[in-house]
């Protein structure tokens, strides 16, 4: 961003939209409706935010078509939510990558780091690892022997990518996430749990994002697989031998047990638990804190223990409130019937 | 502590209490009732621990007024629980801070580290970061560009404080916690989830404590805010744009979704889940594993799915045990009524 | 492994088994039934996998006695699951340890590192710490002042072992796990939560495995104890003063609150929550997402909120589906009885 900011006309041109009001007005940043001042442009996602927009001091708005009567110039465009992304990139361009290996990093002699990649301070790249073009390894990252990091991927500080794990292109791994720790597998030998060696790996395809302190375990024999476009939030646990389908979204603190197959475009809410060897069909949605231990069909929406259809789950939840009262009514009925038939 | 320990008289003077018994007796450490020997002083929180205290070998006790008849001298004081803190500080003074930057740390030329602060081995402080007086950055910590760490704050090993995050005074961040990872936000463009840049930050006020491997994401546009005196346990997830009010306490593995407002002096049990955009009123209590998806009033105590009032929650739970039997009784009633009316 | 692999005869001799088919056949690796080719040996755990085995292209099988009619030679042995472990060790021997301290590691002058131990790049070993024979400290590990790591133990990258923590022999700690962070304890002084110093420690006995990003807090006064042979999965939280009995297994994302006593050979499923001061009897099993707040007897199997016996829990769950319908039936009964008695 030039410190001078952009005129609404310039912004509208970039966002392929039009200006409803003074196109010469200059804004120097994006802010929330609540925090915005006259120098900011604020985003109005839809009509639900109209009241907040009316009260906002923002100097301009990026708004959906159905939000009218706003108190400052408005940029109108198709897909305003996607255009918000463009707007944010305009005002907050990604810090430019400084290629090269920091003097304090420890890169094995036979690791292959692309000359356009960045390896930050005190980062370790072990023997045989491969770091792709324009990849960014922030400080204090660990990349194990033979691991591969694809082009344009970003590993934030304290990420651990263990031996042999393969990470695709344009993957973002947030701080503290661990890819490729041993899966949790033992066999009881009569006197102790004996560890089953976990000799598989993890395969993360392109355009995946993995949250802070999430863990994705390596497979026992083959790979644990995270397909293209999957988005995983913080503190999620993906166990060994799992496969997660393309474009699936997994909210924070959810756990997926060993050998599960999660379909494409599935949505898992937060703190969901999936038992081992379960298949989740494409497009299924599990609401937060749902627990399932058997297969889930394509496209269904489930909630609660063992995953009931959401509408059933809600009806039961509502009915439960009357459960103590139902007990009393049942007893009353029994007593009355008893009296009735006593006289027979 | 002098290796010679303290007399009970010395301790009572510091704790503003009195000695019930031999004030000249010397103790050299604090121990639990079970582990204490004659050289230890042990703490008796209240009458529930009286039996354990009677069986203890402790050489002295720090006890509440209502615990009598103990088998060794007792220090009596107001607020014994607070005085336990003083006692522990006496016997376990904080290791003295050795100011200065370790030779192996990587501190950017334009970072400002207060001369009384400590920067441990292999710690990274990026450009423009500010480290306050008497702050302790343990080894292998990462402080990102422009981040600020207040006076007397402690960052344990492997803490990550990302770019621009501000941490107040006397804040303790435990090992592996991540402050300022990107919030989890995407817009579907018809063929892929496109990442919404998370250009906000995290603001942690004074006297906050954050547990090991907890994650507090940066806001989308503005800050995620943790107010003064908040205590957050291990593996807690605080999503983008959340604000947590003063003195709120959050137990381990709880997750707070995006844009929530949590009031002051709220208590969240362990593994609680709060849906996005939810407001939790001041002083509310959510018991462990509670899940809420709508606003919670001030001061209420909730439990279970969608957070029912605790007393209702318990009544339902008790009644549930009779649910299978209720079904049978209902069928029996229906049959008897059928028979009764058959004859009509 | 020799690149030439092993003949089935050689493998059978090592596994103390026999070959059912061509003992001269050579295999060069172990693979899953689905991924195996003619050069692989695949494992058939039991009859449930018979169909997959029939469809497999594997060149050989390691199979239980009750799986017959397989399409390639079979190694038969007692305890095939345990023999799978041997097989994996044959084909995937542990990378040999290179003893010595990496030049970039920071080891305090008075720390004692056994000459046969490995200390990886950029790892920190603080004053007075002791590292046992053949221990492997991977890169970027932190071992605090006075901590002890036993013989043959492995600390993966980014593990934090804080001051005074003792880790036994043959212990494996996965990446990002934190041993010895402060327990979560405060006393309210009328205006603020005051921190109770956590001056205890953590004691991890022999043959324990601890998952990635798990956290085990130090005790308030004494140790938090993890007994011999305990297996802890990723992202598990063990609070201060807990004791976990021998051979207990704890699945991912489970939380154990302060001062709990967990017995021997207990099995805790994933995302289980245990309230503070609870005792869990030896051999008890808590299914995933169970929450308990009172003591659990020896050997019982519990599920759900407050841990009901599993069979009761299932019956209630099934009956719940009829709850909305039960309400209607109850109303209908009341109406009919009303009509019946109206005429009296």
């Amino acid at each position: 961003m030039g410190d001078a900011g952009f005129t609404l006309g310039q912004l509208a041109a970039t966002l392929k939209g039009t200006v409803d009001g003074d196109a010469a007005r200059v804004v120097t940043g994006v802010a929330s409706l609540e925090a915005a001042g006259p120098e900011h442009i604020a985003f109005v996602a839809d009509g639900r935010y109209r009241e907040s927009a009316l009260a906002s001091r923002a100097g301009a708005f990026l708004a959906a078509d159905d939000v009218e009567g706003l108190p400052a110039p408005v940029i109108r465009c198709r897909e305003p939510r996607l255009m918000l992304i463009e707007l944010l990139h305009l005002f907050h361009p990604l810090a430019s990558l400084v290629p090269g290996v920091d003097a304090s990093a420890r890169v094995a002699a036979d690791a292959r780091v692309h000359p356009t990649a960045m390896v930050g301070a005190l980062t370790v790249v072990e023997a045989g690892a491969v770091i792709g073009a324009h990849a960014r390894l922030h400080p204090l990252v660990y990349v194990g022997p033979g691991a591969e990091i694809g082009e344009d991927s970003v590993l934030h500080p304290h990420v651990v990518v263990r031996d042999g794990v393969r990470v695709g292109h344009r993957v973002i791994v947030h701080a503290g996430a661990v890819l490729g720790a041993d899966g949790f597998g033992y066999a009881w030998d009569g006197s102790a749990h004996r560890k089953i060696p976990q000799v598989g790996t993890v395969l993360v395809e392109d355009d995946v994002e993995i949250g802070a302190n999430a863990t994705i375990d390596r497979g026992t024999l083959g790979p644990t697989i995270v397909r293209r476009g999957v988005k995983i939030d913080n503190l999620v646990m993906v166990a060994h031998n799992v496969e997660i389908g393309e474009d699936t979204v997994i909210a924070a603190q959810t756990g997926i047990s060993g050998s599960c197959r999660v379909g494409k475009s599935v949505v898992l809410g937060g703190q969901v638990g999936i038992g081992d060897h379960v298949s989740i069909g494409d497009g299924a949605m599990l609401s937060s804190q749902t627990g399932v231990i058997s297969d889930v069909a394509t496209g269904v929406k489930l909630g609660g223990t063992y995953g009931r259809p959401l509408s059933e789950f809600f009806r039961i939840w509502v009915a439960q409130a009357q459960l103590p009262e139902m007990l009393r009514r049942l007893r009353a009925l029994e007593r009355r019937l008893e009296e009735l038939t006593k006289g027979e």
Side-chain angles (χ1 to χ4, degrees), chain A:
Chain A
M1 152 176 70
D3 276 348
F6 300 96
T7 65
L8 298 185
Q10 289 173 316
L11 293 178
T14 308
L15 306 185
K16 296 177 187 115
T18 55
V19 183
D20 205 350
D22 177 9
R25 181 170 291 197
V26 171
V27 287
T28 60
V30 189
S32 68
L33 290 168
E34 293 72 24
E39 71 279 21
H40 294 124
I41 180 167
F43 175 61
V44 190
D46 57 50
R48 287 176 301 171
Y49 295 92
R50 190 167 181 277
E51 207 138 331
S52 302
L54 291 179
S56 175
R57 294 172 54 247
F61 297 96
L62 171 66
D65 278 349
D66 61 337
V67 188
E68 300 185 351
L70 293 176
V74 182
I75 294 181
R76 303 282 183 189
C77 59
R78 293 179 53 187
E79 310 264 26
R81 204 169 173 76
L82 292 174
M83 287 306 125
L84 171 65
I85 294 176
E86 301 307 317
L87 195 66
L88 288 168
H89 282 303
L90 274 176
F91 283 102
H92 301 271
L94 198 61
S96 63
L97 188 159
V98 182
V101 175
D102 188 277
S104 65
R106 301 284 292 182
V107 177
D110 68 345
R112 288 178 6 231
V113 178
H114 196 278
T116 61
M118 174 188 100
V119 178
L122 304 170
T123 274
V124 174
V125 179
E126 300 268 29
V130 178
I131 311 297
H134 308 290
R136 293 174 191 233
L137 275 55
H138 282 272
L140 295 162
V141 161
Y142 176 81
V143 177
E148 294 184 30
I149 310 299
E151 298 174 10
D152 295 298
S153 286
V154 180
L155 306 187
H156 282 281
H158 286 151
V159 162
V160 172
V161 178
R162 273 192 44 195
D163 49 300
V165 170
R166 283 191 290 151
V167 174
H169 304 316
R170 298 172 302 281
V171 170
I172 301 170
V173 187
H174 287 285
V178 176
L179 310 189
D182 289 359
F184 195 65
Y186 305 91
W188 181 252
D189 74 358
S191 64
H193 299 291
R194 291 196 44 215
K195 180 178 177 66
I196 299 174
Q198 305 288 309
V199 304
T201 183
V202 175
L203 172 59
V204 176
E205 292 190 350
D206 299 343
D207 300 303
V208 167
E209 187 162 355
I210 297 171
N213 285 344
T215 66
I216 303 183
D217 280 356
R218 66 196 314 118
T220 308
L221 298 174
T224 300
I225 300 176
V226 181
R227 295 282 180 210
R228 188 197 54 70
V230 168
K231 308 298 180 187
I232 294 177
D233 202 355
N234 297 356
L235 294 166
V236 164
M237 161 62 173
V238 178
H240 53 179
N241 313 317
V242 167
E243 178 172 343
I244 302 176
E246 292 187 2
D247 295 321
T248 282
V249 173
I250 304 176
Q253 295 177 321
T254 281
I256 304 176
S257 302
S259 302
C260 285
R261 292 285 166 275
V262 179
K264 298 178 187 179
S265 299
V266 169
V267 177
L268 303 180
Q271 297 180 337
V272 166
I274 303 182
D276 52 10
H277 289 87
V278 166
S279 281
I280 310 286
D282 293 351
M285 299 183 65
L286 272 58
S287 69
S288 295
Q289 295 189 330
T290 296
V292 296
I293 57 171
S294 53
D295 290 355
V296 171
T298 297
V300 297
K301 302 187 180 188
L302 305 183
T305 301
Y306 304 145
R308 298 189 194 269
L310 266 190
S311 57
E312 182 188 343
F313 178 62
F314 288 135
R315 274 199 306 273
I316 293 172
W317 185 82
V318 168
Q320 278 176 337
Q322 304 191 49
L323 196 46
E325 179 60 22
M326 282 172 73
L327 257 175
R328 278 188 291 274
R329 286 161 63 185
L330 196 57
R331 258 181 246 121
L333 274 175
E334 287 168 338
R335 246 179 274 119
R336 290 183 63 186
L337 205 58
E338 191 66 36
E339 283 165 23
L340 259 183
T341 53
K342 211 186 287 174
E344 283 183 0

